[in-house]
Amino acid sequence: MEDPYQKLSRPEASDAVTRLGWRLVLGELRTEVRTGSLALAADVAARAAAVAGAEGHLRLDVRADRVLLSLQTAAAAWVTERDVELARDISTVVDEMRLHTVSGVDLGGGGERAVQMLEIGIDALDAAAIRPFWAAVLGYVDEPGRSGPWDGLIDPLGQGPAVWFQEMDAPRPQRNRIHFDVSVPHDEAEPRIRAALAAGGKLLSDASAPAFWVLADAEGNEACVTTWQGRDG
């Protein structure tokens, strides 16, 4: 019998939920349900939370006109078959309410963007010397089971972006030492990059695509658009 808590590969997790309106982003399954009212959003959240086995997997963000849902096996800090099962069950519950789980976030006025997550990368020569500062100033904690000098930091309440440290081999005073990683669904990366370039950005590197592309604004401040692809195997 297969272990329902066995970690899934990125392609396995993505393929299992994409047709349901969920997307794999940074080791989580993410979707939203547009409700049009706070009361209905709260009802969706309550019914999703009542799905058997949701404890330890489901996180909810209730807004005035929608609810954002995330699934990850907390004990494994990754997506497992149990999360895929929960995505199916929650989507069924939402369908029964004549609503839908969708991967695009309605921005109003006809605008839309995909569900996403944000990380902040800090270049460092000696992460051990600066990591305690960032933990203290942000009120962040270690990722579960990861407390080494180069391991990332997370918001214990899940509200702010994670922080990770990138090793440098020499000082780079001419370059910004902090950059943003914008993690998007695999089918959102190219439209997002086109939009950034049309807004005055520059493509610095696509050597690691489709895992990530490095872009910069007109003054050289960098951001990476990242996906789950190109990371397994």
Side-chain angles (χ1 to χ4, degrees):
M1 182 176 180
E2 291 187 4
D3 180 3
Y5 295 99
Q6 178 70 33
K7 292 182 179 180
L8 298 179
S9 71
R10 294 175 178 88
E12 288 172 338
S14 179
D15 291 347
V17 300
T18 293
R19 66 179 181 81
L20 300 174
W22 296 72
R23 292 294 186 272
L24 175 67
V25 184
L26 273 184
E28 294 185 4
L29 304 180
R30 296 198 143 218
T31 193
E32 81 155 14
V33 180
R34 301 167 190 169
T35 61
S37 72
L38 177 61
L40 187 53
D43 189 18
V44 170
R47 296 191 193 199
V51 170
E55 189 76 27
H57 298 264
L58 178 64
R59 288 194 298 115
L60 297 160
D61 184 356
V62 179
R63 302 296 178 96
D65 59 354
R66 71 197 63 202
V67 57
L68 307 174
L69 303 97
S70 303
L71 285 167
Q72 183 189 76
T73 299
W78 194 253
V79 173
T80 66
E81 182 60 39
R82 183 64 187 125
D83 298 303
V84 170
E85 293 170 357
L86 285 167
R88 295 191 189 109
D89 292 344
I90 290 170
S91 290
T92 298
V93 168
V94 171
D95 286 345
E96 290 170 352
M97 300 176 71
R98 298 185 179 181
L99 299 169
H100 305 286
T101 48
V102 296
S103 62
V105 178
D106 180 14
L107 302 179
E112 183 174 297
R113 73 153 172 80
V115 292
Q116 68 179 31
M117 295 180 71
L118 180 66
E119 290 186 308
I120 298 174
I122 301 176
D123 293 347
L125 291 169
D126 180 6
I130 67 170
R131 189 176 184 272
F133 166 82
W134 287 104
V137 75
L138 295 172
Y140 276 21
V141 298
D142 296 339
E143 292 181 301
R146 301 184 65 184
S147 58
W150 290 97
D151 288 329
L153 298 167
I154 59 171
D155 181 347
L157 300 183
Q159 295 174 324
V163 172
W164 66 283
F165 303 93
Q166 178 169 273
E167 187 173 8
M168 297 191 304
D169 55 9
R172 291 199 297 266
Q174 78 284 2
R175 180 181 171 192
N176 198 331
R177 297 274 296 276
I178 295 177
H179 72 274
F180 294 98
D181 284 340
V182 185
S183 295
V184 300
H186 63 281
D187 48 2
E188 169 68 10
E190 291 189 6
R192 184 67 60 90
I193 292 165
R194 287 196 297 268
L197 297 179
K202 297 176 289 186
L203 178 63
L204 299 185
S205 175
D206 60 1
S208 296
F212 65 89
W213 293 256
V214 183
L215 296 91
D217 65 16
E219 295 192 359
N221 300 299
E222 295 179 9
C224 293
V225 175
T226 82
T227 78
W228 63 263
Q229 292 183 324
R231 300 174 187 270
D232 285 307

